[in-house]
Amino acid sequence: MLEQIFKDPAAAERWRSGLLGPHLDSFVEVVSDLGYSRSSIQSQLWLLRALQEWLERSRLGIADLEEPLMERFLDERRRKGRLRRGEARTLRRFLGLLREQRVVRAPEPTIDRSPVVTLQRRYEGYLGRERGLAPATVARYWPFLQRFLVERFGAGPIHLHELTPRDVVSFLLRHSRSSTPGVAKLTATALRSFLRFLFQHGETRSNLAGAIPAVPAWRLADVPKFLKPEEVQRVVDVCDQRTPVGRRDRAVVLLLARLGLRASEVMTLDLEDIDWRAGVLTVRGKGRYHDRLPLPTEVGEALAAYLRKDRPHCATRRVFILSRAPHRGFAHPSTVSTIVRRAVKRAGLKPAMKGAHLLRHSLATGMLRGGASMAEIGEVLRHRLPNTTEIYAKVDIDGLRSLARPWLRGGER
C-alpha cells in the first residue's frame, strides 16, 4: 500500500524500516478505505514518522503506546506550535489498529461505580428490557433526571428513600418557568417514568409519580408550519445539480418532500432498502416498523444520479455519506435537518420552522388542499393512529371558514 502513496519503491521501503514501519501498510489501507486523499495520507504518515522519532528519543518501544503517552506527544507538539487539526484523531486511529493487531494491549476497562452512574445503568436497562423504549428515547430522559438528582442530593450520597412529593413538584415548577411547553412536558414524562421505576424496585416508600402535576400542552394547539408547493419546489431547485454535494442534497430533499420521510429515516436508509426492479423503497420507521413505499420517478432519478456519480467508495451500506473523509453515514438526524435549513435559506424563504419536518408537514398540507382525505394523508405519512393526522385539518382554512356562522349585525337575531 505504501507504493500507492510514494511512487519511488525505495522510499516505500525506507518507511517500512522504522519502528512503526511494519504497520504502515495496514494503516494506509484503513485510511484509504475511509476516503482520505493521497496528500492527506502523506500528512498522516509524516505525523507517524514524528511519533516514531519521539519514541526513539525517549527510548520507548511500540508496546508502550497508550493514551497517556499519546497525550504527552501531542502536548509537546502543541507547545512547539506544530500541532495540526485532526492529528489526535490520526493517532487514535493508529493506536486502534495496533490493538486490533494485538501489538499493543487493550486498556483495562474502567467501570464507573459511582451511585449516579450505577442508578443510570439500572434505569436504562429497565426502560430497554421492560418498557421496550428505543435507546434515543432513553438518552433524552436521563439529562433531566441527572439534574434532578444533583439538585436534590448534590455531591453527597443519594438516599432515594428521602425523596418527597415536595422535591418533585418544586423541581418541575422551578424549571418549567424557563422552558418551552414541549421541554416541560418531556421533563414531567421523564420524572414520572423514573419515579415509577424507583417505586417498583423498592427505592421509595410510595409512588411519587402521582405528585407530578400535568403540564398544559394542549393537543392540536398549534397549526403545522408548512411551505406552499411552489416554495417546496424552490427548495428542491436550489440544490446545485452540477456538484456532488448538491446532487446528494437534492436526493435528500426529494425524499423528504415527495415521500414525507422523517430525518431519521433518511439517515438510516441502506443500499439494500432500494428495490430498483420493483420501484419500491423500504423505510425503517418509528417503533421499529418497516414500510414499503413506491419510489416516484423524480426521487428515483435523483437517487440514481447520486449513487452512480457521487457516492464515495466506502465500507458502510448507508445510502447517504459525508462528502469529506472519513467517509461514513450521517451520525445524527440533525445532519439531514441541516441540509434542509441551508436549502431553505438559499431559496430565500423564512418559515418559522426550517428543519426536515417542515417538508413532511408541507407534503401533508399540499395533499389536503388537493382534496386528499385524512385517511389518505395518514397512510402516506405512515401514522399508526388516525388521530395523529387530525392536526392537518386545521390548515384547511377554506373548509373551516365554510363551517363558521356569519356574525350577527346589530339588531339581528
Side-chain angles (χ1 to χ4, degrees), residues 363-380 389 392-393 396:
L363 174 64
T365 304
M367 291 180 62
L368 179 66
R369 294 187 168 183
S373 66
M374 287 294 164
E376 291 170 333
I377 295 172
E379 185 176 353
V380 170
T389 318
Y392 293 106
D396 189 4

Side-chain angles (χ1 to χ4, degrees), residues 157-171:
I158 299 177
H159 299 300
L160 296 170
H161 63 275
E162 296 179 359
L163 288 174
T164 65
R166 183 183 182 87
D167 296 327
V168 177
V169 174
S170 61
F171 172 82

Side-chain angles (χ1 to χ4, degrees), residues 79-238:
R79 288 195 304 270
K80 294 180 178 179
R82 296 177 181 174
L83 187 65
R84 294 184 178 182
R85 180 181 177 183
E87 289 190 348
R89 182 173 61 243
T90 297
L91 294 182
R92 286 195 300 270
R93 183 174 291 122
F94 184 66
L95 182 58
L97 173 66
L98 295 179
R99 283 174 173 158
E100 287 179 9
Q101 297 176 342
R102 301 182 183 276
V103 176
V104 174
R105 65 181 180 179
E108 293 294 328
T110 57
I111 301 176
D112 190 341
R113 301 187 186 278
S114 63
V116 172
V117 175
T118 301
L119 182 61
Q120 178 185 1
R121 290 197 194 100
R122 289 177 54 207
Y123 175 63
E124 290 178 346
Y126 157 80
L127 291 180
R129 290 190 307 271
E130 300 185 30
R131 301 297 305 280
L133 296 184
T137 302
V138 176
R140 291 178 68 194
Y141 281 6
W142 187 250
F144 301 106
L145 305 176
Q146 187 175 29
R147 180 186 295 178
F148 170 67
L149 294 172
V150 169
E151 290 187 10
R152 173 60 180 82
F153 298 107
I158 299 177
H159 299 300
L160 296 170
H161 63 275
E162 296 179 359
L163 288 174
T164 65
R166 183 183 182 87
D167 296 327
V168 177
V169 174
S170 61
F171 172 82
L172 186 59
L173 293 179
R174 185 165 61 251
H175 290 284
S176 61
R177 295 190 183 99
S178 58
S179 303
T180 63
V183 171
K185 189 173 183 179
L186 181 60
T187 304
T189 300
L191 274 174
R192 195 175 289 114
S193 168
F194 182 60
L195 293 172
R196 286 197 193 106
F197 157 76
L198 294 180
F199 179 64
Q200 290 177 16
H201 289 77
E203 301 286 356
T204 56
R205 298 187 179 95
S206 61
N207 187 1
L208 298 176
I212 298 178
V215 177
W218 292 279
R219 189 172 171 272
L220 307 181
D222 294 328
V223 175
K225 311 299 188 294
F226 64 93
L227 299 175
K228 298 176 182 178
E230 59 271 20
E231 293 174 330
V232 172
Q233 190 58 48
R234 282 168 58 185
V235 175
V236 173
D237 292 341
V238 295

